[in-house]
Amino acid sequence: MSSLPHPVPSRMAQNVAALYGHDDETFVAWQRLCAHAAEALRPPPDPERLSKALALALGGHVEVEDDGFAVVTSGPNLYHV
């Protein structure tokens, strides 16, 4: 995994951590990255959809490729985003 700057966790990051717990540095980095991405979205995302997206990312169903795109596995479907 590439190095990511990790600022003081925002309220969103703290909420994600409270939901999923802290396992290791990689997991915490994913939590912060997901929270940062969610906070950057305008308009704010639907909370239910955001919760499902975070579950996919934190469940290991998102693989970030070297070119910055990601492959998301949801059920039998693969999405390139």
Side-chain angles (χ1 to χ4, degrees):
M1 178 177 186
S2 62
S3 176
L4 298 173
H6 300 297
V8 175
S10 66
R11 188 174 64 141
M12 175 72 88
Q14 292 170 8
N15 290 340
V16 170
L19 286 172
Y20 295 101
H22 295 274
D23 285 346
D24 59 29
E25 288 183 27
T26 301
F27 191 72
V28 172
W30 264 108
Q31 289 175 331
R32 289 181 180 147
L33 183 63
C34 290
H36 176 72
E39 289 171 344
L41 295 174
R42 296 288 176 245
D46 172 60
E48 183 178 340
R49 188 168 184 184
L50 177 59
S51 176
K52 290 177 181 179
L54 288 172
L56 285 172
L58 296 172
H61 301 283
V62 178
E63 183 178 336
V64 179
E65 298 177 337
D66 290 337
D67 61 5
F69 288 92
V71 177
V72 180
T73 305
S74 178
N77 302 315
L78 289 177
Y79 300 93
H80 296 272
V81 292

